[in-house]
């Protein structure tokens, strides 16, 4: 989002009244304090700046004004990490006020950022992340007496007959919404809390490895993302959809629940602040649930940057404006836009406003930057919509028994893993399915079972998702392993069916090594892959070596030639975990 300036109290040379002074004072110079704030905070800070400017302030002979700009915390953090050198960033602000201390943590990961962020900031307000619901749905659910937890959200999301079984069929299922955690404090906090609940691990004990290497964390993220009928680019986009949705309209994108900062629930309901800027629509008022397994107070920190702190005049203006924010006019502006004071108590936030004045709140537990980065990266992996060709080895060796699997064959275990992996693909993801061994069609080692296309597309009597499941049920192992010819054919096929803006990937699973004597040689295959691989239109061949007999060295060379990884599944029982890792990897 581009910065949106709002000038308040603009000063010009002339006779102005000193704040608290008795008579007019001449000031021949002016200074403007540039404040950048998150979208949910800009209206309150602008009101406070207007109140400050109405006193015709002067500092050290300068006429003073305050300009409040809007910029999301994720974007500002990125600019900070680069030392605020990108042309698109515009002029560096004097003060940054993000809607969570997490954005400060994410910013302070580079030396250029640390040179800018010399101030730890002063807490001027707080706002917890809640689970918001349209008020009619909330009341039908049992609000305000009934509680709702992050664990409940995981369990309820995707229940397609939830409201129908409760006498409200027009409302459809228990549909979830989510704002992208790379831009939204609520989205980022919700994902951390959902993973915490799934892993039964306190939020402040989550680690980077839980997100990068752990199936449980990825599974929790996948569950929430796939249960969400809307993953909005921002909180504003999410609220636009809510305001536009008529709960009784079956064609509307109705959201039963979604994480949101409490201040935005207030602004939406009262049509103030960001809520006043939303277009009119039939969407009902909202109600807030405070999850019993984690409702943290996000700290709103007023952070003076090095440029202002090094300038005596601007440093004094920054302190002067901070005094306004922590006194009567500033506190009224913050409270009037749904922001709690630092102690978290807001007795005016009653059920009539859709809120609770004194819910059970815990102090914000700021996660380490590596954990927050891993969380956002894992979400990017599960949220991506790929163009994927799955290629399964169905050679005779797949009949061999897998130790520790109660007598099941390699193919049986692999097919079960594939069936479990199908729900990982959203309806608008593309998937195609091949099998390969040797001479399946004349001299051809591979066979198309399901053509490449969107999972939700109608294909025959059902969707492509159902067609994939049916095809997996019909597979029988036979023949040898025509690995090299199949890898090249799959790579070239996906090149011909390339979709810009998506990860285009062949995911090839094999339990052995090339055993087709008439096939292309490995060295020649690697040369062709390197020559035909295009950095501008990258198609990657991700290989999964299944079992101890796999030629991992050959697979590594094939994948590396296309800039991809090889994933060893030396224990065939772990094939599903490896598939999840491969399918949720963000291409480098």
């Amino acid at each position: 989002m581009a910065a949106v300036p709002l000038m308040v109290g603009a000063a010009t040379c002339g006779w102005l009244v000193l704040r608290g002074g008795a008579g007019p004072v001449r000031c021949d110079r002016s200074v403007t304090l540039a404040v950048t704030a998150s979208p949910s905070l800009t209206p309150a800070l602008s009101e406070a700046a207007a109140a400050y400017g109405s006193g015709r302030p002067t500092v050290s002979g300068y006429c003073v004004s305050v300009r409040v700009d809007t910029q999301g915390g994720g974007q500002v953090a990125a600019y900070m990490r680069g030392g605020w050198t990108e042309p698109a960033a515009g002029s560096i602000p004097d003060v940054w006020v993000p809607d969570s201390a997490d954005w400060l943590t994410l910013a302070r990961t580079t030396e250029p950022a640390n040179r800018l962020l010399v101030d730890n900031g002063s807490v001027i307000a707080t706002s917890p992340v809640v689970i918001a619901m349209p008020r009619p749905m909330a009341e039908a659910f049992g609000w305000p007496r009934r509680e709702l937890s992050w664990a409940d959200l995981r369990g309820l999301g995707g229940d397609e007959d939830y409201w129908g079984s409760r006498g409200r069929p027009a409302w459809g299922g228990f549909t979830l919404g989510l704002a992208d955690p790379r831009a939204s404090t609520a989205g980022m906090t919700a994902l951390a809390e959902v993973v915490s609940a799934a892993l039964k691990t306190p939020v402040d004990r989550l680690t980077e490895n839980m997100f990068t290497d752990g199936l449980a964390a990825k599974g929790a993220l996948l569950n929430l993302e796939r249960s969400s009928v809307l993953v909005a680019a921002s909180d504003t986009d999410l609220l636009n959809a809510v305001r536009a949705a008529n709960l009784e309209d079956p064609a509307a994108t109705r959201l039963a629940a979604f994480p949101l900062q409490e201040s935005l629930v207030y602004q939406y309901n009262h049509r103030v602040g960001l809520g006043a800027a939303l277009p009119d629509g039939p969407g009902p008022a909202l109600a807030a649930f405070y999850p019993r397994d984690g409702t943290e107070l996000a700290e709103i920190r007023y952070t003076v940057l090095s440029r202002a702190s090094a300038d005596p005049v601007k440093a004094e203006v920054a302190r002067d404006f901070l005094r306004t924010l922590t006194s009567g006019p500033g506190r009224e502006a913050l409270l009037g836009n749904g922001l709690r004071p630092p102690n978290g108590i807001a007795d005016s936030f009653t059920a009539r406003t859709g809120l609770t004045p004194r819910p059970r709140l815990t102090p914000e537990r700021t996660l380490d930057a590596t954990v927050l980065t891993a969380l956002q990266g894992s979400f990017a992996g599960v949220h991506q919509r790929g163009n994927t060709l799955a290629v399964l080895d169905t050679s005779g060796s797949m009949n061999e028994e897998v130790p520790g699997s109660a007598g099941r064959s390699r193919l049986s275990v692999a097919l079960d893993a594939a069936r479990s992996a199908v729900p990982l693909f959203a309806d608008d993801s593309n998937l195609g399915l091949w099998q390969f061994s040797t001479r399946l069609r004349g001299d051809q080692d591979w066979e198309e079972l399901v053509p490449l296309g969107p999972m939700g597309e109608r294909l025959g009597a059902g969707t492509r998702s159902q067609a994939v499941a049916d095809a997996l049920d019909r597979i029988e192992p036979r023949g040898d392993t025509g690995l090299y010819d199949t890898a090249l054919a799959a790579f070239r096929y996906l090149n011909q069916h390339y979709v810009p803006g998506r990860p285009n990937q062949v995911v090839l699973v094999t339990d052995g090594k090339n055993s087709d004597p008439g096939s292309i040689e490995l060295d020649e295959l690697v040369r062709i892959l390197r020559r035909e691989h295009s950095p501008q239109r990258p198609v990657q061949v991700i290989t999964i070596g299944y079992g101890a007999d796999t030629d991992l060295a050959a697979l590594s060379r094939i994948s590396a030639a296309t800039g991809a990884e090889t994933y060893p599944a030396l224990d065939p029982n772990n094939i599903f975990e490896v598939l999840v890792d491969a399918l949720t990897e963000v291409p480098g």
Side-chain angles (χ1 to χ4, degrees):
M1 179 186 293
V4 179
L6 189 150
M7 182 74 79
V8 290
T12 58
C13 297
W15 292 97
L16 297 181
V17 179
L18 178 67
R19 276 166 34 107
V25 175
R26 175 83 180 184
C27 59
D28 296 319
R29 296 170 295 179
S30 63
V31 62
T32 298
L33 186 75
V35 178
T36 291
S38 295
S40 62
L41 306 176
T42 301
L45 293 181
S46 297
E47 289 179 28
Y52 174 66
S54 68
R56 305 282 182 96
T58 65
V59 170
S60 301
Y62 285 81
C63 300
V64 174
S65 63
V66 174
R67 188 184 76 238
V68 181
D69 299 332
T70 300
Q71 191 74 264
Q75 184 62 75
V76 175
Y79 288 154
M80 291 286 180
R81 289 193 295 269
W84 209 277
T85 57
E86 293 185 34
S91 299
I92 188 170
D94 301 308
V95 177
W96 180 26
V97 191
D99 58 8
S100 167
D102 282 339
W103 300 117
L104 290 164
T105 299
L106 281 167
R108 287 191 175 104
T109 56
T110 66
E111 186 56 34
N114 286 320
R115 287 197 294 268
L116 296 173
L117 292 164
V118 295
D119 179 17
N120 287 326
S122 301
V123 180
I124 60 171
T126 56
S127 186
V129 171
V130 300
I131 300 174
M133 292 180 69
R135 187 156 180 157
M137 287 181 168
E139 290 172 344
F141 186 81
W143 180 88
R145 297 174 303 281
R146 185 178 176 184
E147 294 182 320
L148 182 65
S149 70
W150 296 111
D152 292 336
L153 201 65
R154 289 185 62 233
L156 293 170
D159 185 340
E160 296 182 358
D161 191 41
Y162 182 85
W163 297 113
S165 64
R166 288 157 177 79
R168 301 303 297 261
W171 291 354
F174 198 95
T175 50
L176 304 182
L178 182 70
D180 193 319
R182 292 165 292 187
S184 164
T185 290
M188 183 161 54
T189 300
L191 291 188
E193 294 289 358
V194 165
V195 170
S196 170
L199 273 57
K200 296 181 171 57
T201 301
V203 167
D204 52 1
R205 294 187 182 179
L206 296 176
T207 66
E208 178 184 9
N209 287 342
M210 289 177 178
F211 290 97
T212 56
D213 300 329
L215 174 65
K218 285 186 176 180
L221 295 180
L222 273 167
N223 176 277
L224 182 60
E225 199 279 342
R226 294 298 189 260
S227 299
S228 298
V229 298
L230 174 65
V231 178
S234 67
D235 294 320
T236 302
D237 289 347
L238 183 67
L239 289 176
N240 272 325
V242 173
R243 178 68 62 78
N246 183 339
L247 293 186
E248 307 301 325
D249 180 1
T253 303
R254 297 181 304 268
L255 302 179
F258 45 94
L260 199 65
Q261 278 193 302
E262 181 193 53
S263 59
L264 289 177
V265 174
Y266 184 100
Q267 291 176 30
Y268 177 93
N269 283 347
H270 290 76
R271 295 181 182 260
V272 298
L274 192 148
L278 299 175
D280 289 335
L286 301 177
F289 289 84
Y290 300 80
R292 58 181 179 270
D293 49 357
T295 304
E296 297 182 22
L297 274 177
E299 295 180 342
I300 315 301
R301 288 182 171 268
Y302 179 94
T303 309
V304 181
L305 304 187
S306 58
R307 186 181 75 162
S309 62
D311 181 329
V313 174
K314 282 203 170 184
E316 180 56 37
V317 176
R319 287 190 292 270
D320 205 23
F321 185 47
L322 176 60
R323 284 190 285 270
T324 295
L325 289 171
T326 54
S327 63
R331 287 186 176 178
E332 288 177 12
L334 292 166
L335 190 66
N337 283 275
L339 293 153
R340 294 175 179 263
N343 66 8
I345 297 173
D347 287 332
S348 61
F349 290 5
T350 63
R352 183 178 58 82
T353 67
L355 309 176
T356 298
R358 300 192 180 201
R360 291 191 303 271
L361 300 173
T362 58
E364 183 171 25
R365 294 169 287 182
T366 304
L367 297 175
D368 184 80
T370 59
V371 178
L372 292 172
T373 301
L375 183 154
Q376 291 184 336
S378 294
F379 177 81
V382 303
H383 182 53
Q384 66 186 350
R385 300 302 191 250
N387 188 44
T388 305
L389 178 62
V391 182
L392 302 182
D393 184 345
T394 58
S395 60
S397 59
M398 293 289 282
N399 258 330
E400 293 186 16
E401 183 178 324
V402 173
S405 68
R408 300 168 68 207
S409 69
R410 289 178 179 176
L411 183 62
S412 176
V413 174
L415 291 178
D416 279 350
R419 291 186 190 97
S420 298
V422 168
L424 302 183
F425 294 87
D427 281 351
D428 53 346
S429 289
N430 287 354
L431 180 66
L433 178 64
W434 287 11
Q435 67 171 334
F436 77 98
S437 56
T438 50
R439 297 174 179 82
L440 287 175
R441 289 187 172 274
D443 290 334
Q444 182 176 294
D445 294 339
W446 63 93
E447 179 182 18
E448 179 182 81
L449 301 178
V450 180
L452 184 68
M455 290 294 282
E457 184 179 59
R458 299 296 298 179
L459 201 65
T463 63
R464 179 170 275 96
S465 179
Q466 184 59 51
V468 170
D470 293 344
L472 292 172
D473 289 340
R474 295 193 300 269
I475 288 178
E476 294 182 0
R478 64 182 178 87
D480 293 321
T481 307
L483 173 62
Y484 297 161
D485 282 351
T486 300
L488 180 57
F491 172 78
R492 285 176 165 170
Y493 175 88
L494 210 55
N495 261 315
Q496 294 168 358
H497 296 82
Y498 182 86
V499 177
R502 294 190 176 198
N504 289 262
Q505 53 199 12
V506 174
V507 179
L508 187 151
V509 182
T510 181
D511 74 330
K513 59 190 69 176
N514 188 68
S515 55
D516 180 0
S519 76
I520 189 173
E521 295 293 330
L522 177 61
D523 288 345
E524 180 62 15
L525 169 62
V526 170
R527 279 195 295 271
I528 293 173
L529 291 175
R530 286 175 176 167
R531 184 176 69 243
E532 296 184 8
H533 179 260
S534 168
Q536 289 74 39
R537 291 168 53 89
V539 169
Q540 295 189 320
V541 180
I542 298 170
T543 53
I544 297 176
Y546 180 47
D549 298 331
T550 308
D551 188 350
L552 287 176
L555 295 181
S556 295
R557 291 186 65 192
I558 292 169
S559 292
T562 65
E565 297 289 329
T566 291
Y567 294 82
L570 300 181
D571 180 354
N573 292 298
N574 294 335
I575 184 65
F576 177 70
E577 286 89 338
V578 177
L579 274 171
V580 170
D581 278 343
L583 292 171
T584 58
E585 185 69 24
V586 178

